[in-house]
C-alpha cells in the first residue's frame, strides 16, 4: 500500500510507433512512417538517422571527386566532420526560427481590424539540398484554383530532406493566437533543454569561414602549403563559440523573470496593449500560463500574492468563516465542532494543497461528511448483526465550498488591511518613542485584534487618523512621503480639533467626567466594572469662562469654548470604535427600512407602475428585506432614478437614546450635576446625528451587497438546473446518447403564410440538410380536404433520415400552432423514429416525439459570428434551427460556447439590478461544477472546438491554461494516450501540458477513451478515479477477481500496472466488485495511512462498472409557464387575471368578438361581456382592426388563449397586485393625500382654456360641481371640463341629497380641440348627437327612473344599515314571511341596493340595481319599470333557490 502515496507510480511507456500509418498530405493515401517513433512531429524527430544519411551522401560525393578514399578515412576525421556539419545545421535552423517572421505577423494580425498585410517577400526557408534547390524555387504555393491539380509526380520526387524541411513547423491542428508562445509555457529546465535540442537541428551558417571544399588535384604537400597560407578554418573557433553562447543566452526566456524577454520583434511591438489583453497575450497572461497553480486561484488571489497567512491566522480564518456560515446551515447544535473542522480542512486543501472546489468535492468528499457510529441494541436471536450503524450527516455541499473560497478572499483582504494598520501604528509608536514620549493607544491595541469585519477595521482606521492626525503628519514627513506638496492636507474640521486637543479648551472636554471610550464601554453592557461619570465642582458655563480654559485669540469667550468642547466630545464619541459597534448592533437588531416618494415619484409612479409596490412602504424589518432581495434592489434602483428616498432608521429611537443618556450621565443630585448632564446629552445628540448617517449608509450598502449576492446565487441555481440535463435521450438508448435531430421554426412569421425553415443535424453535429416548407396542413378525409403541398416532402424526409426527435420553437405565439400541426401530422401519418432493440431482443420503433425546445441559446447563435463562420450560406432562421438542434444534442456545450454572452440570458427577473461581473462569476462556478461532473474527453477536445469550449472550466484550468494544454498536445503529436502524458516525459521527448499541481487538479476530469487493443491504454484513465487512487482501484479489481499476490505480480509484469483492471474488463467481471466490503477497506486506509476514503471507494466501485456514467438528469422538457413566457415574453406577474390590456380586434360577430393581445395571445369576448346594452349589436360598437382596452377574465397559458371583458363596470376597476402587509407597513394616509392632490391638479389642468356655449356649462371641478348642485333639486345637471383632456366632457347631476354622479362623455368628430364633438359617447354604449340630446335622453331619463324608485312603496329612505335592521325587525315579527326593500347606494351614485331576507333565520342579502337611461338593470338584465323589476327579482331568486335544491 505504500504506492498509495505516489501520485504517479511510474512514467508512461511509449510504444514503438515505427509501424504506425500516416497519410499523404496531397492524396490522402496511407503510407508507412519512415522516420522513427516521433516522426509525426517535426520538432521531436530523432535527427540521428538523418545525420547518418547526410554523412553517407557527402562521403559518397567525396569519393566520386577523388578527394578521399572511403575505406581509408579515419574514424576521428569522420567524427570531426560530422560535428562540424551538425554545428552548421544548428546555426542555420536557429537563425530561421529566431523571432517572428512576416508570415507569422500576418497570421496573427488577420483578426485585428485595419491590419495591413505586409507585401510578400522572398521565403526565408530556402535551405534545401543543392540538388533540389531549383525545383523547390520554381514550385509556387497551391491556391484554391489548384486544389484539383495532380501532384503525384512532384510528391514522389520530393526527397526525404524536402519533406523534413517542409514539416519542420509544429502541427497546424490548433489554430489560436498563442502559436508562437508555447516555448514560454514550460518549466525552465525543460524549456532550455528543448531550446538546445531545437538549436542542434536548426542553426544556419552565420559566417564565411570554413574548410576549403574544392581540393581536387592537389597533393599532400600542396594541401599543407594551403593550410599554412589560409588556415584550416578552425583558428577562430574559440571566438565563434563564445559568440554562440552569448547569442544563445540572449534568445533564452527566463520564465522565473517575466521582465526578461527575447531579443527581436515581439507581439507587443506590433499590437496595442488592449488587443493583446483581449486575446490574453500579455506578459501577465503568459505568467499565468507558466505558473503551476490553478488559473482561477491565481486571478482571484492576485491582490494578495504578498500575503502569507501564519498558523494563528489560519486557525482564526477557519473560525471566522465557520461563524459566518453556521447560521445559514441549520444543522444540529452538536455538529458545530465537526462543521468547523470541516471548514478548516477545506481551507487546508485550498491554501496548502491548492485544490480547486471540484477536486475537493469529488476526491475529498469524506471530509465534508460527518460519520458517527450509532450503537445498535443487540438481537439475541441474530447475534451476527452488526453492533453499530454509521450515521452520516452532510456538512458542506458544493455551493458551500465556493462560499468558503470567497470568504477566504475576504479574510485575506481583512488581514491585509489589519496588517497595514498595525504597521502604521507601530511606526507611529516608534516615532513617538524617539521623541521622548511614552504614549501608546490602549483603545487601538484593544480594538484592532477584535475587528472581524471591514467596517470595524474602518472604524479603527478612522479613530487612528482622528486621534493621532498630527503624529501621522509628522511621520509622513520623517518617512519622506510628504514631498512636493502632494500629500493630501487634512480637512479644516480635523485641524480645528487638533488645535482644541493641543490647547487649554481640551480641559473642558476632560471636565465632562468620562471619556468617549468609557462611555461606549458602558453602552456595550459587557462584563466588567461600570465606568462612572464624575462632575466637576464648577458648572459648565463658569468653567468655560475661567482663565484655565479661555485660550485667546481663537477661544476668548466662555460660550465659544463650551461649544468647541461639546463639538470635540461629540466627535470623539462619533469616532469611538466601541460606540460605532454599539450603534451598528442596534441598527442590525432594530433597524427598519422605509421608502418615501419624491416629488418626481409622485408624478411618475402611478397605480400601474412597477415601483408602486413600495411607494408608501414603511417599517420593513431588515430580516424581511433579506427574504425579498428583489424588492430592496428595485427600491435602490428607484432611488437612483430619483423617484423615491430609501431611509434606514432605528425603531424605538427615543428609548434607545434614553438608555444611552443613563450610560453617560452622572448619578449625582445637584444643580452642577444637572447642568453638566444637560451638556453631556447635548453632545451625545450631536454625535448621534453623525452616527445615524454613518450607520444608515453602512446598513444600506451591506443590505445591497447581501441582496445582490442572493440574486446572483439564485441565478447560479437556475443555471445549474439548465446545465443539469443530459442530451435528449433517443428511444431505446442509454442516457447520454447524442440524438439525430430535425428542427423546424416559422420564426416571427404568421402561421400558414410564412415559410417554415428546417435543418437536419447528425449526432456528430454536422448539418447535412436544410430547407423550407410552406404548407404542412393535414387533410381531412371526411371533409374531402387534401394534405398541404409539403406534407409528402416532410414525410419523405422523416422516412429517409429517421430522426430521433423533432424540435420546434419560434419567436411568437404562432409557433405554438406549428407545434400543434406537427403533432397532428406525426400522429396521422404514423411517423416513427429509428428502430432499436427492446428487452426481448426485437427491433421496434416508437412514434416520433415533437418537443418545444428552449431557444434562448439559439436566438444568440443565429446572429453570432460563430454561426456565420460555420454556416456562411444559411439564412438566419436556418441557423436558428441549427442552434435548436445542437441544444437538444448537448445543452451544456451550447451554454459553454456563449462565453461572456451567457449573462445576456435571463435566469432571475432581478438580475438586471446586479452588476454583470457578479452574475458572471456565479454562472462560471455553476459551469465549472457541471463540466467537472461530466468530464471532458481530452482527445475529442483537441479536434472539436465545441468540446474545447469546456476545457477552461475544467478543475485547475482556465482560458489561458486550456489553450496551453491544447497547444502542447498538438506539439506532442495531437493525441493523448494516458493521463500521465499531460505532465510531460523527457525520455519520450513529450512536452508538459500542465505542471504537477495543475495536473493533480485536472487529471481525473480529463478522460481518455479506453482501447483494449492498445497496450498503453489504461481503463482507469477513462473513469472519474484520480491517478492517486489507481492503486486502490487495482487492489479492488484484484480482490474482485480473487487473485493472490503471485498472480497479481505475474499479470503486472507481463501486461503492466493496469493489467488487473484490464483483465476484470476483459472477463466482464465488473459486477464482482459489488461483493466487496468497502467499509473494511476504508477503516484500513484510515488506520494505516490516515486517509479517509470511504466515499472514494464507492466512486471507484461505480466507475469500474460504468466509466464516466451520465449523472445528469434526463433532458428537461419545458413547462407550460416556460413555453408561455418563451412565446409571449410574459410571466405570471406581467400578465394575469384582472389586468386591463390593449386588444386588437380581428373579427366582430353578433355573439362574439375575436382579437389578439399585444403578446400574441388570442383573446375572445363572449356576448355577455361585450356591452351592457343588449339591444345594441356588437358590430355597431366595434370594428375590425380597432384597438380597445379589455380586462382579462380567464387565461389559458397552455393553449395561449384568453377570455376578456369590455364591460364598463369591469374596466372601471383597475388591476392592483395584492400584497400581504401588516397594518403599519403601508402609509394609507399619505397615499390618500397624494391622490387627492393629483386629482386636484388634474382637475385644474383639465379645465384650462375650455369654454362651451351652453347654459348648463360651468368651469367647475368635481368638488365645485357637487357644492353648486347641493342646493339644487334632484335631477339637476351641469356640464363641466374633464380632467381626461380636451376630447372629454364631464356631466355631473344630482341623484339625491349628497349623492352626485359624474359621467364621462367622449367627444368624437370634433372640428377643433375646443369645439364640442358631433358624436358624444357615454360608457362606450350610448351615443348622442349633441349635449341637449344627452341631457334629455340620458341624464333626465335616469333621473326619472331614480324618482320612480324613490316613490315606490318598497323604497327605504335611510342607509343600508337602517334597511337591514328594518328587515330583521320585520322578519322577527313575522317569522314565516320573507321581505325585500330598496335603498340608495351613496358610494356608487346611480346604484341602489335591493336588500332582502328570506325568513327569520336567513341572512340579510343585497343585490345591486343599476339605473340606466329608461330602465333598471339587475343581474345584467334590464327592466322597464319598478313592477317589472320586482317581478324579475322574485323570479331570479326563485330560480336560484331551485338550483340550490338540485
Amino acid at each position: 500500500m505504500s504506492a498509495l502515496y505516489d501520485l504517479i507510480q511510474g512514467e508512461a511507456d511509449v510504444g514503438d510507433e515505427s509501424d504506425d500509418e500516416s497519410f499523404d498530405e496531397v492524396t490522402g493515401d496511407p503510407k508507412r512512417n519512415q522516420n522513427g517513433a516521433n516522426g509525426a512531429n517535426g520538432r521531436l524527430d530523432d535527427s540521428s538517422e538523418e545525420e547518418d544519411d547526410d554523412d553517407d551522401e557527402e562521403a559518397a560525393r567525396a569519393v566520386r571527386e577523388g578527394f578521399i578514399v572511403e575505406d581509408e578515412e579515419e574514424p576521428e576525421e569522420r567524427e570531426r566532420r560530422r560535428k562540424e556539419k551538425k554545428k552548421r545545421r544548428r546555426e542555420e535552423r536557429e537563425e530561421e526560427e529566431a523571432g517572428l517572421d512576416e508570415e507569422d505577423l500576418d497570421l496573427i494580425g488577420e483578426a485585428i481590424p485595419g491590419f495591413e498585410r505586409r507585401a510578400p517577400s522572398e521565403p526565408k526557408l530556402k535551405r534545401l539540398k543543392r540538388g533540389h534547390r531549383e525545383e523547390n524555387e520554381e514550385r509556387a504555393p497551391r491556391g484554391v484554383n489548384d486544389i484539383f491539380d495532380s501532384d503525384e509526380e512532384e510528391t514522389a520526387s520530393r526527397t526525404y530532406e524536402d519533406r523534413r524541411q517542409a514539416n519542420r513547423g509544429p502541427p497546424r491542428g490548433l489554430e489560436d493566437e498563442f502559436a508562437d508562445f508555447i516555448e514560454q509555457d514550460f518549466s525552465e529546465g525543460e524549456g532550455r533543454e528543448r531550446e538546445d535540442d531545437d538549436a542542434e537541428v536548426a542553426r544556419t551558417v552565420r559566417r564565411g569561414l570554413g574548410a576549403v571544399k574544392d581540393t581536387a588535384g592537389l597533393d599532400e604537400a600542396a594541401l599543407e602549403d594551403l593550410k599554412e597560407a589560409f588556415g584550416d578554418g578552425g583558428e577562430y573557433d574559440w571566438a565563434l563559440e563564445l559568440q554562440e553562447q552569448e547569442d544563445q543566452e540572449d534568445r533564452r526566456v527566463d520564465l522565473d523573470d517575466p521582465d526578461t524577454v527575447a531579443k527581436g520583434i515581439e507581439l507587443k511591438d506590433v499590437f496595442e496593449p488592449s488587443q493583446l489583453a483581449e486575446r490574453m497575450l500579455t506578459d501577465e497572461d503568459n505568467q499565468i500560463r507558466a505558473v503551476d497553480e490553478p488559473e482561477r486561484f491565481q486571478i482571484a488571489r492576485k491582490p494578495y500574492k504578498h500575503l502569507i497567512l501564519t498558523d494563528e491566522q489560519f486557525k482564526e480564518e477557519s473560525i471566522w468563516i465557520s461563524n459566518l456560515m453556521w447560521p445559514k446551515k441549520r444543522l444540529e447544535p452538536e455538529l458545530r465542532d465537526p462543521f468547523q473542522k470541516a471548514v478548516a480542512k477545506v481551507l487546508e486543501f485550498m491554501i496548502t494543497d491548492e485544490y480547486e472546489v471540484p477536486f475537493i468535492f469529488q476526491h475529498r468528499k469524506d471530509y465534508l461528511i460527518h460519520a458517527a457510529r450509532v450503537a445498535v441494541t443487540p438481537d439475541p436471536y441474530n447475534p451476527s448483526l452488526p453492533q453499530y450503524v454509521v450515521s452520516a450527516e452532510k456538512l458542506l455541499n458544493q455551493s458551500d465550498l465556493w462560499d468558503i473560497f470567497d470568504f477566504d478572499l475576504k479574510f485575506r483582504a481583512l488581514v491585509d488591511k489589519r496588517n497595514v494598520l498595525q504597521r502604521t501604528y507601530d511606526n507611529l509608536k516608534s516615532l513617538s518613542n524617539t521623541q521622548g514620549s511614552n504614549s501608546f493607544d490602549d483603545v487601538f491595541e484593544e480594538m484592532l485584534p477584535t475587528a472581524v469585519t471591514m467596517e470595524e477595521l474602518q472604524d479603527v482606521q478612522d479613530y487612528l487618523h482622528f486621534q493621532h492626525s498630527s503624529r501621522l503628519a509628522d511621520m509622513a514627513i520623517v518617512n519622506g512621503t510628504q514631498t512636493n506638496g502632494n500629500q493630501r492636507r487634512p480637512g479644516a474640521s480635523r485641524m480645528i480639533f487638533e488645535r482644541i486637543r493641543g490647547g487649554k479648551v481640551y480641559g473642558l472636554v476632560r471636565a465632562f467626567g468620562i471619556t468617549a471610550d468609557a462611555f461606549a464601554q458602558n453602552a456595550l453592557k459587557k462584563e466588567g466594572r461600570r465606568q462612572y461619570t464624575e462632575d466637576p465642582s464648577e458648572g459648565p458655563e463658569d468653567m468655560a469662562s475661567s482663565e484655565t480654559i479661555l485660550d485667546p485669540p481663537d477661544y476668548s469667550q466662555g460660550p465659544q469654548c463650551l461649544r468647541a468642547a461639546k463639538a470635540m466630545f461629540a466627535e470623539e464619541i462619533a469616532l469611538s470604535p466601541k460606540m460605532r459597534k454599539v450603534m451598528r448592533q442596534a441598527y442590525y437588531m432594530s433597524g427598519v427600512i422605509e421608502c418615501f416618494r419624491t416629488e418626481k415619484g409622485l408624478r411618475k409612479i402611478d397605480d400601474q407602475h412597477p415601483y408602486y409596490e413600495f411607494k408608501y412602504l414603511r417599517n420593513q424589518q431588515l430580516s424581511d428585506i433579506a427574504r425579498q432581495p428583489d424588492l430592496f434592489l428595485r427600491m435602490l434602483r428607484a432611488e437612483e432614478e430619483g423617484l423615491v428616498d430609501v431611509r434606514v432608521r432605528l425603531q424605538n429611537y427615543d428609548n434607545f437614546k434614553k438608555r444611552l443618556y443613563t450610560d453617560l450621565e452622572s448619578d449625582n443630585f445637584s444643580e452642577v450635576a444637572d447642568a453638566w448632564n444637560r451638556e453631556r446629552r447635548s453632545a451625545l445628540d450631536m454625535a448621534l446625528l453623525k452616527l445615524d448617517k454613518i450607520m444608515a449608509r453602512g446598513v444600506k450598502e451591506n443590505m445591497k451587497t447581501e441582496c445582490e449576492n442572493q440574486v446572483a446565487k439564485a441565478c447560479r441555481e437556475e443555471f445549474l438546473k439548465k446545465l443539469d440535463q443530459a442530451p435528449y435521450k433517443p428511444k431505446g438508448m442509454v442516457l447520454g446518447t447524442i440524438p439525430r435531430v430535425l428542427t423546424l421554426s416559422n420564426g416571427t412569421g404568421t402561421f400558414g403564410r410564412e415559410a417554415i425553415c428546417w435543418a437536419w443535424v447528425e449526432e456528430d453535429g454536422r448539418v447535412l440538410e436544410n430547407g423550407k416548407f410552406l404548407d404542412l396542413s393535414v387533410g381531412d378525409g371526411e371533409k374531402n380536404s387534401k394534405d398541404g403541398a409539403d406534407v409528402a416532402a416532410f414525410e419523405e424526409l422523416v422516412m429517409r433520415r429517421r430522426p430521433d426527435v423533432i424540435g420546434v420553437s419560434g419567436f411568437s405565439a404562432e409557433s405554438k400552432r406549428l407545434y400543434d400541426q406537427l403533432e397532428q401530422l406525426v400522429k396521422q401519418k404514423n411517423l416513427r423514429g429509428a428502430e432499436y432493440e427492446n428487452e426481448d431482443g426485437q427491433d421496434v420503433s416508437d412514434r416520433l416525439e415533437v418537443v418545444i425546445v428552449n431557444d434562448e441559446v439559439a436566438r444568440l447563435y443565429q446572429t453570432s459570428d460563430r454561426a456565420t463562420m460555420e454556416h456562411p450560406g444559411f439564412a438566419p432562421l436556418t441557423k436558428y434551427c441549427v442552434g435548436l438542434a445542437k441544444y437538444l444534442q448537448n445543452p451544456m456545450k451550447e451554454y459553454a460556447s456563449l462565453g461572456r454572452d451567457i449573462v445576456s440570458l435571463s435566469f432571475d427577473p432581478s438580475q438586471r439590478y446586479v452588476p454583470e461581473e457578479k452574475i458572471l462569476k456565479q454562472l462560471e462556478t455553476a459551469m465549472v461544477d457541471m463540466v467537472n461532473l461530466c468530464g471532458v474527453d481530452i482527445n475529442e477536445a483537441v479536434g472539436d472546438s465545441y468540446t474545447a469550449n469546456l476545457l477552461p472550466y475544467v478543475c485547475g484550468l482556465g482560458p489561458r491554461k486550456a489553450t496551453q494544454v491544447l497547444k502542447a498536445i498538438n506539439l506532442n503529436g495531437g493525441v493523448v494516450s494516458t493521463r500521465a502524458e499531460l505532465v510531460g516525459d523527457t525520455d519520450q521527448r513529450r512536452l508538459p501540458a500542465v505542471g504537477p499541481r495543475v495536473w493533480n487538479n485536472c487529471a481525473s476530469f480529463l478522460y481518455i477513451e479506453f482501447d483494449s487493443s492498445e497496450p498503453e491504454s489504461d481503463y482507469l484513465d477513462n473513469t472519474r478515479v484520480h491517478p492517486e487512487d489507481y492503486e486502490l482501484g487495482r487492489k479492488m479489481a484484484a480482490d474482485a477477481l480473487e487473485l493472490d499476490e503471485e498472480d497479481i505480480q505475474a499479470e503486472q509484469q507481463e501486461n503492466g500496472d493496469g493489467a488487473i483492471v484490464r483483465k476484470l474488463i476483459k472477463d466482464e467481471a465488473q459486477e464482482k466488485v459489488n461483493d466487496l466490503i468497502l467499509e473494511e477497506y476504508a477503516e484500513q486506509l484510515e488506520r494505516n495511512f490516515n486517509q479517509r476514503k470511504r466515499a472514494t471507494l464507492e466512486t471507484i466501485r461505480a466507475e469500474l462498472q460504468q466509466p464516466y456514467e451520465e449523472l445528469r438528469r434526463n433532458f428537461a422538457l419545458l413547462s407550460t409557464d416556460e413555453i408561455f413566457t418563451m412565446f409571449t415574453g410574459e410571466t405570471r406577474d406581467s400578465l394575469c387575471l384582472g389586468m386591463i390590456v390593449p386588444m386588437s380586434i380581428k373579427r366582430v360577430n353578433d355573439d362574439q368578438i375575436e382579437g389578439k393581445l399585444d403578446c400574441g395571445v388570442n383573446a375572445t369576448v363572449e356576448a355577455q361581456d361585450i356591452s351592457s346594452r343588449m339591444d345594441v349589436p356588437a358590430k355597431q360598437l366595434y370594428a375590425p382592426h380597432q384597438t380597445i382596452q379589455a380586462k382579462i377574465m380567464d387565461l389559458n397559458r397552455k393553449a395561449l388563449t384568453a377570455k376578456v371583458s369590455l364591460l364598463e363596470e369591469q374596466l372601471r376597476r383597475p388591476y392592483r397586485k395584492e400584497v400581504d402587509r401588516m397594518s403599519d407597513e403601508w402609509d394609507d394616509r399619505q397615499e390618500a393625500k397624494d391622490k387627492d392632490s393629483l386629482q386636484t391638479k388634474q382637475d385644474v389642468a383639465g379645465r384650462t382654456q375650455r369654454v362651451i356655449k351652453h347654459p348648463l356649462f360651468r368651469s367647475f371641478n368635481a368638488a365645485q360641481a357637487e357644492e353648486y348642485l347641493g342646493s339644487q333639486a334632484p335631477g339637476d345637471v351641469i356640464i363641466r371640463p374633464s380632467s381626461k383632456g380636451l376630447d372629454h366632457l364631464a356631466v355631473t347631476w344630482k341623484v339625491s341629497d349628497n349623492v352626485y354622479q359624474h359621467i364621462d362623455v367622449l367627444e368624437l368628430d370634433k372640428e377643433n380641440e375646443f369645439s364640442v364633438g358631433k358624436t358624444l359617447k357615454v360608457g362606450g354604449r350610448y351615443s348622442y348627437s349633441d349635449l341637449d340630446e344627452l341631457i334629455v335622453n340620458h341624464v333626465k331619463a335616469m333621473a326619472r327612473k331614480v324618482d320612480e324608485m324613490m316613490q315606490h312603496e318598497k323604497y327605504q329612505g335611510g342607509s343600508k344599515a337602517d334597511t337591514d335592521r328594518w328587515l330583521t325587525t320585520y322578519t322577527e315579527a313575522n317569522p314565516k314571511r320573507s321581505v325585500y326593500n330598496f335603498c340608495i347606494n351613496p358610494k356608487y351614485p346611480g346604484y341602489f341596493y335591493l336588500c332582502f331576507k328570506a325568513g327569520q333565520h336567513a341572512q340579510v342579502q343585497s343585490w345591486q340595481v343599476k339605473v340606466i337611461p329608461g330602465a333598471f338593470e339587475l343581474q345584467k338584465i334590464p327592466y322597464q319599470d319598478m313592477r317589472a323589476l320586482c317581478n324579475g327579482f322574485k323570479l331570479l331568486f326563485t330560480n336560484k333557490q331551485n338550483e340550490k335544491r338540485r
Side-chain angles (χ1 to χ4, degrees), residues 1250 1252 1257 1279-1291 1303-1307 1310 1315-1317 1320 1331:
R1250 188 73 191 270
I1252 296 176
F1257 180 83
I1279 304 168
R1280 60 184 179 84
S1282 173
S1283 60
K1284 293 185 177 182
L1286 297 177
D1287 58 346
H1288 285 260
L1289 284 173
V1291 175
I1303 302 173
D1304 177 50
V1305 180
L1306 175 63
E1307 303 175 72
K1310 294 167 64 73
S1315 63
V1316 179
L1320 306 176
L1331 290 172

Side-chain angles (χ1 to χ4, degrees), residues 136-156:
N136 282 277
E137 288 178 349
E138 293 174 358
R139 181 178 181 181
R142 298 181 61 185
V144 176
N145 297 330
D146 305 320
I147 195 169
F148 296 109
D149 290 350
S150 177
D151 289 340
E152 287 83 353
E153 296 180 0
E154 179 178 332
T155 303

Side-chain angles (χ1 to χ4, degrees), residues 279-296:
R279 295 176 171 272
M280 299 182 183
L281 290 173
T282 64
D283 294 339
E284 183 179 351
D285 294 320
N286 295 331
Q287 182 74 7
I288 293 175
R289 294 187 188 93
V291 174
D292 184 22
E293 181 184 351
E295 183 170 329
R296 277 175 284 274

Side-chain angles (χ1 to χ4, degrees), residues 934-1140:
C934 301
V936 177
D937 186 337
I938 185 61
N939 287 315
E940 181 182 346
V942 173
D944 179 28
S945 61
Y946 271 82
T947 307
N949 289 331
L950 303 176
L951 277 182
Y953 304 101
V954 170
C955 180
L957 303 183
R960 299 163 186 82
K961 287 187 179 292
T963 54
Q964 175 192 0
V965 168
L966 292 176
K967 188 186 306 181
I969 292 173
N970 277 274
L971 289 173
N972 288 335
V975 177
V976 180
S977 301
T978 65
R979 284 170 171 169
E981 290 181 7
L982 294 173
V983 290
D985 189 342
T986 55
D987 295 337
Q988 298 294 330
R989 304 178 65 83
R990 289 188 178 275
L991 300 174
V994 292
R997 281 188 180 271
V998 174
W999 180 84
N1000 213 24
N1001 274 277
C1002 70
S1004 63
F1005 306 109
L1006 300 175
Y1007 63 87
I1008 301 161
E1009 188 174 350
F1010 175 68
D1011 186 356
S1012 59
S1013 63
E1014 289 291 334
E1016 294 181 2
S1017 185
D1018 192 332
Y1019 179 85
L1020 294 177
D1021 282 343
N1022 191 34
T1023 67
R1024 291 183 173 90
V1025 182
H1026 194 276
E1028 70 178 8
D1029 297 320
Y1030 278 9
E1031 284 299 316
L1032 284 177
R1034 292 161 185 164
K1035 177 70 167 57
M1036 291 174 60
D1039 290 348
L1041 293 173
E1042 299 180 354
L1043 300 179
D1044 55 24
E1045 291 294 334
E1046 295 180 358
D1047 295 335
I1048 296 174
Q1049 291 180 3
E1051 190 72 29
Q1052 289 182 341
Q1053 288 177 0
E1054 182 178 356
N1055 298 315
D1057 294 333
I1060 305 301
V1061 179
R1062 184 185 288 264
K1063 178 177 176 58
L1064 181 75
I1065 305 305
K1066 182 179 180 182
D1067 296 345
E1068 298 183 353
Q1070 296 98 312
E1071 294 293 333
K1072 292 183 178 180
V1073 297
N1074 291 326
D1075 300 331
L1076 300 177
I1077 304 176
L1078 299 185
E1079 195 64 41
E1080 295 181 359
Y1081 277 93
E1083 291 177 358
Q1084 183 181 0
L1085 288 171
E1086 188 167 4
R1087 183 173 57 253
N1088 298 336
F1089 302 101
N1090 196 27
Q1091 294 183 353
R1092 298 166 63 177
K1093 292 282 187 179
R1094 182 65 181 85
T1096 301
L1097 293 174
E1098 287 289 350
T1099 300
I1100 295 174
R1101 174 154 61 185
E1103 292 298 314
L1104 286 175
Q1105 299 178 74
Q1106 182 64 47
Y1108 258 103
E1109 180 184 6
E1110 180 62 74
L1111 298 180
R1112 290 174 291 180
R1113 296 180 296 111
N1114 283 330
F1115 185 85
L1117 300 180
L1118 295 178
S1119 65
T1120 299
D1121 283 350
E1122 290 171 334
I1123 293 173
F1124 183 83
T1125 299
M1126 185 175 71
F1127 284 155
T1128 65
E1130 303 287 353
T1131 65
R1132 285 193 174 271
D1133 292 331
S1134 63
L1135 189 70
C1136 60
L1137 298 183
M1139 283 189 170
I1140 299 175

Side-chain angles (χ1 to χ4, degrees), residues 840-904:
D840 299 330
Q842 299 175 343
D843 291 337
V844 296
S845 63
D846 295 332
R847 195 169 67 193
L848 270 176
E849 185 177 10
V850 182
V851 299
I852 297 178
V853 188
N854 186 343
D855 71 339
E856 58 184 3
V857 179
R859 292 191 186 210
L860 296 176
Y861 176 79
Q862 67 170 338
T863 57
S864 66
D865 295 336
R866 179 165 56 94
T868 303
M869 180 181 66
E870 293 174 352
H871 311 291
F874 286 11
L877 192 55
T878 306
K879 297 175 188 175
Y880 172 79
C881 292
V882 173
L884 295 176
K886 291 190 174 183
Y887 187 89
L888 279 168
Q889 292 180 335
N890 199 324
M892 185 174 68
K893 285 187 178 180
E894 289 305 297
Y895 284 117
S897 66
L898 293 180
R900 291 185 62 91
D901 291 340
I902 191 71
V903 294
S904 62

Side-chain angles (χ1 to χ4, degrees), residues 49-114:
E49 183 179 347
E50 176 188 334
E51 294 169 2
D52 293 341
D53 293 342
D54 292 343
D55 293 343
D56 293 343
E57 183 180 351
E58 187 169 344
R61 185 171 63 250
V63 170
R64 290 194 298 270
E65 294 174 350
F67 181 59
I68 59 174
V69 179
E70 183 177 10
D71 295 336
E72 296 179 357
E73 182 176 3
E74 293 296 327
E76 293 81 7
E77 180 67 17
R78 177 177 296 179
E79 183 66 19
R80 182 185 65 81
R81 293 177 58 249
R82 286 182 60 187
K83 289 183 178 179
E84 290 179 357
K85 178 167 284 292
K86 181 178 179 181
K87 185 177 181 181
R88 289 196 302 271
R89 192 159 49 245
R90 183 171 66 241
E91 293 171 350
E92 292 168 354
R93 193 170 299 177
E94 187 179 62
E95 284 192 359
E96 290 172 354
E97 295 185 352
L100 295 170
D101 59 19
E102 295 175 357
E103 184 176 340
D104 291 331
L105 294 175
D106 288 339
L107 287 174
I108 297 173
E110 285 178 354
I112 308 300

Side-chain angles (χ1 to χ4, degrees), residues 898-943:
L898 293 180
R900 291 185 62 91
D901 291 340
I902 191 71
V903 294
S904 62
L905 303 183
S906 177
F907 301 100
D908 188 276
S910 302
Q911 75 181 72
R912 62 180 179 272
Y913 305 122
V914 182
E916 187 177 287
E917 286 300 322
K918 190 170 287 188
I919 296 290
L920 190 62
K921 179 181 176 182
Q922 289 293 333
L923 298 182
E924 182 185 8
T925 63
M927 181 66 77
V928 169
D929 288 348
M930 198 53 60
V931 167
N932 288 281
L933 175 70
C934 301
V936 177
D937 186 337
I938 185 61
N939 287 315
E940 181 182 346
V942 173

